[in-house]
Amino acid sequence: MGRVPPMRTVVALRLTNVVFMVGALLLLLSAALVILDDAYMALATALPLVLSERITLGVVAYVGCDAILACMLALSLFALVVLIKRGSASSMSGALILGIVSGLAASTKFNGALVAAAFCIYLAISHRGADRVLRPLVAALSSAVVFVVLNPVVRGGGGDYALNVVWDMLGRRSYIWNTQYGEFPMTRMSLVARFFPHAAFLLPLAGAL
């Protein structure tokens, strides 16, 4: 088959992308509704994403895990917003929930591990004393457990084996990237800007820098 899968497989994967991208949009809409407490304002916030051709052509039609990652990232945002709204984001159960959802994001794609890092920083900043260490530790450990459970390939031969698997994956990705773009690889900034050109994504654009 080479690098071109059969059309039946492509259609199935694209339909899977549609399901997860719709889920991501609904989760973002729900998060906006929790924050704004106004259905019309929440809809106006999510509308640019719904009408974006870049999401349709660049994410949904792309045979990869980006749509699933978008759904897991939206789930992470929704979980954080709900926990903050309920006043339980700083509790031990809140740290556990944040660790689990960030583990799901990391299991989808390595980029999702940034969510775990962001959550740990948030928990460290929002606590004092021993909890400043304990809460991020709970989130990080629960995230790691979810990642290991959902990725049996890293459990084949201990810590060294797992690290070698990760490095092999990164090396393979680097090879594919270079064969696709040659001497002109896309920067993180240009990649984010390509798929998310709207003003609502100024923050992730700044983060990509």
Side-chain angles (χ1 to χ4, degrees), residues 173-191 194:
R173 178 56 188 163
S174 176
Y175 170 77
I176 294 174
W177 191 272
N178 289 330
T179 57
Q180 287 177 338
Y181 299 104
E183 297 179 356
F184 303 97
M186 296 178 67
T187 63
R188 289 178 297 166
M189 175 69 175
S190 61
L191 183 61
R194 176 182 175 186

Side-chain angles (χ1 to χ4, degrees), residues 20 22-32 70-78:
F20 278 98
V22 170
L25 293 175
L26 291 176
L27 286 168
L28 289 174
L29 177 62
S30 300
C71 187
M72 294 300 105
L73 295 178
L75 176 62
S76 301
L77 174 64
F78 177 71

Side-chain angles (χ1 to χ4, degrees), residues 10-205:
V10 171
V11 171
L13 291 173
R14 285 178 176 172
L15 289 176
T16 302
N17 284 351
V18 170
V19 171
F20 278 98
M21 184 54 68
V22 170
L25 293 175
L26 291 176
L27 286 168
L28 289 174
L29 177 62
S30 300
L33 185 59
V34 172
I35 295 171
L36 301 172
D37 199 22
D38 186 295
Y40 293 105
M41 289 296 294
L43 184 60
T45 302
L47 198 58
L49 301 177
V50 177
L51 300 178
S52 172
E53 287 188 7
R54 296 296 179 90
I55 286 184
T56 303
L57 300 178
V59 178
V60 174
Y62 173 68
V63 179
C65 59
D66 296 75
I68 304 175
L69 175 62
C71 187
M72 294 300 105
L73 295 178
L75 176 62
S76 301
L77 174 64
F78 177 71
L80 178 62
V81 168
V82 170
L83 289 172
I84 291 176
K85 190 77 171 183
R86 294 181 177 178
S88 57
S90 299
S91 65
M92 187 65 73
S93 61
L96 182 63
I97 292 173
L98 294 178
I100 291 173
V101 294
S102 64
L104 292 173
S107 298
T108 305
K109 199 172 183 179
F110 284 152
N111 308 36
L114 295 175
V115 176
F119 283 163
C120 288
I121 293 172
Y122 165 77
L123 292 170
I125 292 175
S126 59
H127 287 87
R128 295 292 184 270
D131 286 337
R132 173 168 283 182
V133 176
L134 185 59
R135 295 292 195 275
L137 183 61
V138 169
L141 289 177
S142 57
S143 179
V145 168
V146 171
F147 178 82
V148 172
V149 169
L150 295 180
N151 293 271
V153 67
V154 302
R155 305 199 303 265
D160 291 339
Y161 176 83
L163 288 176
N164 288 332
V165 169
V166 172
W167 284 117
D168 287 344
M169 289 180 180
L170 294 176
R172 183 173 294 275
R173 178 56 188 163
S174 176
Y175 170 77
I176 294 174
W177 191 272
N178 289 330
T179 57
Q180 287 177 338
Y181 299 104
E183 297 179 356
F184 303 97
M186 296 178 67
T187 63
R188 289 178 297 166
M189 175 69 175
S190 61
L191 183 61
V192 175
R194 176 182 175 186
F195 293 118
F196 302 111
H198 300 291
F201 283 91
L202 288 178
L203 186 59
L205 283 175

